[in-house]
Amino acid sequence: MDESEQDRRHKERAKKHKAVVDAKIAKATTDKGLLLVLTGNGKGKSSSAFGMVARTLGYGRKAAVFQFIKGAKLVGERAFFNAHPDVRWEKCGEGFTWDTQDRQADIANARAGWAKAKEALADPDVHLVVLDELTYPVNYRYLEIDEIMPAIEGRPSMQHVVITGRAAHDAFIAAADTVSSIQDVKHAFRDGVRAQEGIDW
Ligand code: ATP
Ligand code: MG
């Protein structure tokens, strides 16, 4: 087959493909505030959520981020977004449980953080709420799922919420519109590479 015949067939296939894609797009006509859950053991959950913060700010809208585990250490995303007038950025934890080694302090931080998150979940001006690493205090029972779900489900109808963290509770998965489970195929850490600035924190 000569080049021009290949090009002609390619064009024909692309045309058919476009018709299929266009038909699917035409069917998706609803707008709504989404609940997204980014879970799984692979890298890329929080950084994806912060990507959506950037997208939101790009349209001049407001975002609120509640970091339920990390807090003590300055991370690049906080350094960048905290300076933005349209972002509320709250640290709701002092670090991993194996670092803090203080269960009561972790519980108090998680509960104080959740009280702040509830404010954002009631504010229609906040276009996107990120509940980063919320899965952990829920799985440890520091926060009750029965207290969390009503606030998420009763939020303003156009507000988007992203929950990140491993082993997401079934109630989060059931309520979510979009769920991605990021698979851990390889991670440099297992080859002895320490966390790299700008990539990992
Ligand atoms: P990121 O913030 O980079 O998107 P994440 O939110 O998916 O990562 P977390 O479990 O919150 O993952 O862990 C955050 C930190 O741990 C990051 O430095 C990340 O590179 C690292 N990390 C994530 N997954 C793994 C893994 N499977 N093995 C080792 N380190 C990991
Ligand atoms: Mg994370």
Side-chain angles (χ1 to χ4, degrees), residues 41-43 166 183-195 200:
N41 294 339
K43 171 181 162 52
R166 296 179 186 201
Q183 196 192 340
D184 178 14
V185 178
K186 269 187 179 185
H187 198 289
F189 183 67
R190 287 199 290 284
D191 288 332
V193 182
R194 63 179 156 198
D200 294 296

Side-chain angles (χ1 to χ4, degrees), residues 45-46 70 132-133 164:
K45 301 176 288 295
S46 299
K70 285 152 226 168
D132 189 36
E133 323 294 350
T164 81

Side-chain angles (χ1 to χ4, degrees), residues 83-134:
H84 197 289
D86 293 333
V87 180
R88 176 178 183 186
W89 195 286
E90 298 282 356
K91 302 178 291 169
C92 314
E94 294 302 326
F96 295 106
T97 50
W98 55 85
D99 284 330
T100 64
Q101 300 172 11
D102 185 340
R103 186 168 168 276
Q104 289 308 321
D106 289 346
I107 291 172
N109 278 321
R111 294 196 177 150
W114 173 245
K116 292 178 194 163
K118 270 206 301 203
E119 295 170 6
L121 290 166
D123 183 351
D125 285 345
V126 180
H127 187 72
L128 172 69
V129 177
V130 175
L131 303 170
D132 189 36
E133 323 294 350
L134 180 65

